[in-house]
Amino acid sequence: MKTDTRNRYGSISRSFHWIMAAGYLFMFGTAIAWNIDKQFRSSLMGMHKTVGFVLAALIVLRVLWAVTQMSHRPKNNLAARAGHLALYALMIAVPALAIARQIGRAQGNKFLVELGNQWHGELGWVLLVLVAGHVVMTIIHQGRGAPVLSRMWG
């Protein structure tokens, strides 16, 4: 188990990154599937909620880990830092809104239900766009000779 260094992310950071990337790939896939064909919603919703809850727990752990590694991590420019901050904020907000909606349903709290209904999906799509931008920028920078992918790949 290696910690982060100025040249690359350590094994814990990389594990969080790639496990969560796989989880979000699943989450976006399920959401896209049931937006294409509503019949998929009922069969995928249970798995979507379960994976979403796991991702909610992982983002809390990931943020705590990132805070402990802040002074060791590779340096990024302002745009990359802002992009990462936005990704982290949405990885917290999107599942928090879904959890709030579930609590609201259980307690009959219309405000929490409506809050989740209004923002969970919308911010989920914003997160998808940011993730796509994150991937595109990684490819662009790697293509220009900056070793950004190797810092996270392993």
Side-chain angles (χ1 to χ4, degrees):
M1 264 194 273
K2 293 185 179 181
T3 59
D4 297 347
T5 69
R6 291 282 182 207
N7 296 322
R8 64 186 303 148
Y9 293 95
S11 57
I12 295 172
S13 294
R14 289 192 320 266
S15 295
F16 276 130
H17 182 275
W18 293 111
I19 290 167
M20 292 181 73
Y24 278 108
L25 184 63
F26 174 81
M27 297 300 281
F28 295 135
T30 58
I32 290 167
W34 71 54
N35 275 280
I36 292 171
D37 189 340
K38 300 294 183 205
Q39 74 175 354
F40 289 120
R41 188 177 194 100
S42 61
S43 62
L44 294 174
M45 183 58 74
M47 290 184 292
H48 185 87
K49 287 180 181 181
T50 300
V51 173
F53 190 78
V54 169
L55 287 169
L58 286 173
I59 191 58
V60 171
L61 296 173
R62 186 174 181 178
V63 167
L64 292 173
W65 176 252
V67 168
T68 69
Q69 298 300 298
M70 201 63 74
S71 64
H72 309 291
R73 292 190 148 190
K75 294 293 182 194
N76 290 309
N77 65 29
L78 180 60
R81 287 195 310 267
H84 287 126
L85 182 62
L87 284 166
Y88 274 82
L90 286 171
M91 286 188 292
I92 293 167
V94 172
L97 288 162
I99 292 167
R101 178 173 54 196
Q102 288 302 110
I103 292 169
R105 286 181 179 154
Q107 296 178 350
N109 184 325
K110 289 183 180 183
F111 173 77
L112 290 178
V113 173
E114 288 304 315
L115 183 67
N117 285 344
Q118 179 67 40
W119 293 106
H120 173 70
E122 298 296 328
L123 291 179
W125 296 121
V126 173
L127 178 56
L128 175 59
V129 169
L130 282 178
V131 167
H134 178 69
V135 170
V136 167
M137 293 310 297
T138 298
I139 293 167
I140 289 170
H141 286 291
Q142 192 71 31
R144 291 179 179 167
V148 293
L149 186 58
S150 60
R151 295 188 317 193
M152 186 56 81
W153 189 253

